[in-house]
Amino acid sequence: FAAASGPESRIALSRKETEPLRALGRGATVRAAADVLAVSEGTAKTYTKSLYRKLGIASRAAAVAEARRRGLA
């Protein structure tokens, strides 16, 4: 990951969390992340909810900003 700032940048993310974050950061949908992970859309939504909780974010805009901070977008 690229250098980032803030406490959330030190939170390690699993691949199951990183791929939805990467997709959201690029403007894609959770469905697109599901396709990349080869899982159902429901499962990708679960991963995304876990990601939001872990990072303490509550919106797609915050997810996009975090993806950019981490060099994923």
Side-chain angles (χ1 to χ4, degrees), residues 20-28 51-52 57 59-73:
L21 182 61
R22 184 186 315 272
L24 293 172
R26 293 181 177 165
L51 168 71
Y52 278 32
I57 58 177
S59 69
R60 179 181 284 267
V64 169
E66 182 62 21
R68 289 183 179 148
R69 274 193 290 275
R70 289 174 178 260
L72 300 174

